[in-house]
């Protein structure tokens, strides 16, 4: 047993190092200059830790502004997608009306539509509504494409919540909104965490919509901003690495905070299956 335990620990350590090494390499890469990067020391420790690369990326390359824009767009998208999907799912699963199943089917069909296939129609609609080159040009499409997956997840959770809880709350004098936000919402917290992470990843890392719908430098998101750091004739790769580290940190932080809730949602889904 001790030998098996030792082998298991070795395998887990190797797996951990394999997963963490790209992040460690990126941090080391961000602290080097071009001479060191192209001089053969790509993977090793830098000869000099160039912390100025982060200052250059955040201030001169305006990564700080791009980061703020991404936080704003992604944050509003997550809140809007969770709210709209939760209320929609509750209306479909709990309320009795003729077209509830058809509405659920129509929403889930959205999972089959590739985002980039709708690029031209969305562009035309946003242009007619005078929403191009604004935060809403990204928030609205991101939210719309996040809703089908969110409804799919919420629907599964809502079906597993006993109706007796809501009936008891109704007898105690709660209205429909109090039942939804005070009784049901706390029970679907793992689903909320899962949807928040999926929505965050799809919005934070999205590039095609951000390039097409936004032109002003003051409104660009971090994915577009880092792309513009590549020069036409020469490129300082150290500051680009610093920008990538800044862009990666929120992902690590959010998953660290919400990982337990995501694991709970997976366990619940496994038990239901």
């Amino acid at each position: 047993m001790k030998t098996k335990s030792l082998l298991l620990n070795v395998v887990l350590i190797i797996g951990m190092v394999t997963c963490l090494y790209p992040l460690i390499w990126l941090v080391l890469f961000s602290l080097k200059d071009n001479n060191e990067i192209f001089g053969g020391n790509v993977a090793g420790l830098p000869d000099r830790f160039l912390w100025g690369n982060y200052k250059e990326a955040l201030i001169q390359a305006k990564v700080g502004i791009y980061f703020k824009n991404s936080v704003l767009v992604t944050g509003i998208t997550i809140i809007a997608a969770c709210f709209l999907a939760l209320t929609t799912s509750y209306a479909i699963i709990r309320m009795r009306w003729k077209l509830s199943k058809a509405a659920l089917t129509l929403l889930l069909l959205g999972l089959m539509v590739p985002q980039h296939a709708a690029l031209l129609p969305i562009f035309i609609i946003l242009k007619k509504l005078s929403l191009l080159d604004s935060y809403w040009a990204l928030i609205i499409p991101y939210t719309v494409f996040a809703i089908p997956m969110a409804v799919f997840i919420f629907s599964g959770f809502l079906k597993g919540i006993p109706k007796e809880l809501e009936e008891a709350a109704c007898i105690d004098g709660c209205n429909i909104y109090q039942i939804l936000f005070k009784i049901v919402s706390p029970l679907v917290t793992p689903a909320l965490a899962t949807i928040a992470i999926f929505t965050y990843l799809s919005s934070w890392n999205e590039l095609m919509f951000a390039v097409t719908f936004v032109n002003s430098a003051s409104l660009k998101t971090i994915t577009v901003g880092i792309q513009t750091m590549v020069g036409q004739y020469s490129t300082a790769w150290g500051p680009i690495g610093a920008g990538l580290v800044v862009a990666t940190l929120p992902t690590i932080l959010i998953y660290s905070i919400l990982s337990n809730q995501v694991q709970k949602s997976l366990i619940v889904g496994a038990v239901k299956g």
Side-chain angles (χ1 to χ4, degrees):
M1 293 297 294
K2 291 184 178 180
T3 304
K4 290 183 178 180
S5 178
L6 179 61
L7 290 175
L8 178 61
N9 289 333
V10 171
V11 172
L12 292 175
I13 291 172
I14 293 174
M16 180 188 68
V17 172
T18 302
C19 293
L20 291 178
Y21 178 74
L23 181 61
I24 296 172
W25 176 86
L26 179 61
V27 173
L28 296 177
F29 180 89
S30 68
L31 297 171
K32 300 176 183 178
D33 57 14
N34 284 5
N35 293 331
E36 193 169 358
I37 292 171
F38 295 106
N41 185 21
V42 180
L45 292 172
D47 295 334
R48 293 185 300 112
F49 289 86
L50 302 179
W51 297 104
N53 287 342
Y54 285 86
K55 181 179 179 180
E56 182 177 347
L58 291 171
I59 299 176
Q60 297 180 14
K62 300 181 179 179
V63 169
I65 296 175
Y66 304 144
F67 182 86
K68 180 203 71 173
N69 293 336
S70 288
V71 169
L72 180 63
V73 170
T74 304
I76 296 176
T77 299
I78 292 173
I79 294 171
C82 288
F83 176 79
L84 293 173
L86 178 58
T87 52
T88 302
S89 301
Y90 189 80
I92 291 174
I93 300 301
R94 284 291 193 259
M95 298 180 182
R96 294 183 179 180
W97 46 292
K98 290 183 179 180
L99 298 178
S100 59
K101 292 183 179 180
L104 180 60
T105 302
L106 184 62
L107 284 170
L108 296 182
L109 284 175
L111 294 171
M112 303 174 61
V113 180
Q115 288 191 16
H116 300 153
L119 182 66
L120 182 57
I122 293 174
F123 181 87
I124 294 173
I125 293 171
L126 292 175
K127 184 177 181 181
K128 290 184 177 180
L129 295 175
S130 300
L131 292 176
L132 287 176
D133 202 23
S134 68
Y135 290 128
W136 295 110
L138 299 179
I139 293 171
I140 294 174
Y142 290 170
T143 302
V144 170
F145 279 102
I147 285 176
M149 175 62 74
V151 169
F152 176 73
I153 295 173
F154 274 137
S155 298
F157 269 79
L158 290 173
K159 289 178 181 177
I161 296 176
K163 293 183 180 180
E164 289 76 12
L165 290 174
E166 299 164 55
E167 292 172 355
C170 185
I171 293 173
D172 289 338
C174 292
N175 58 37
I176 188 67
Y177 301 104
Q178 291 173 327
I179 292 173
L180 176 59
F181 294 112
K182 292 185 178 181
I183 305 299
V184 175
S185 294
L187 298 177
V188 296
T189 301
L192 281 169
T194 304
I195 292 166
I197 288 180
F198 282 136
T199 305
Y200 165 81
L201 291 175
S202 62
S203 303
W204 186 269
N205 297 322
E206 204 282 325
L207 179 63
M208 186 62 69
F209 286 177
V211 170
T212 306
F213 300 153
V214 174
N215 294 321
S216 300
S218 60
L219 298 176
K220 290 180 179 178
T221 56
I222 197 164
T223 51
V224 182
I226 292 176
Q227 186 185 43
T228 59
M229 293 173 66
V230 179
Q232 183 176 1
Y233 301 105
S234 63
T235 301
W237 291 101
I240 291 180
L244 291 172
V245 171
V246 172
T248 304
L249 288 177
T251 304
I252 299 172
L253 179 62
I254 289 176
Y255 186 77
S256 299
I257 295 173
L258 300 179
S259 60
N260 290 334
Q261 296 295 335
V262 174
Q263 290 173 11
K264 290 180 181 178
S265 70
L266 295 175
I267 293 172
V268 171
V271 173
K272 288 180 181 178

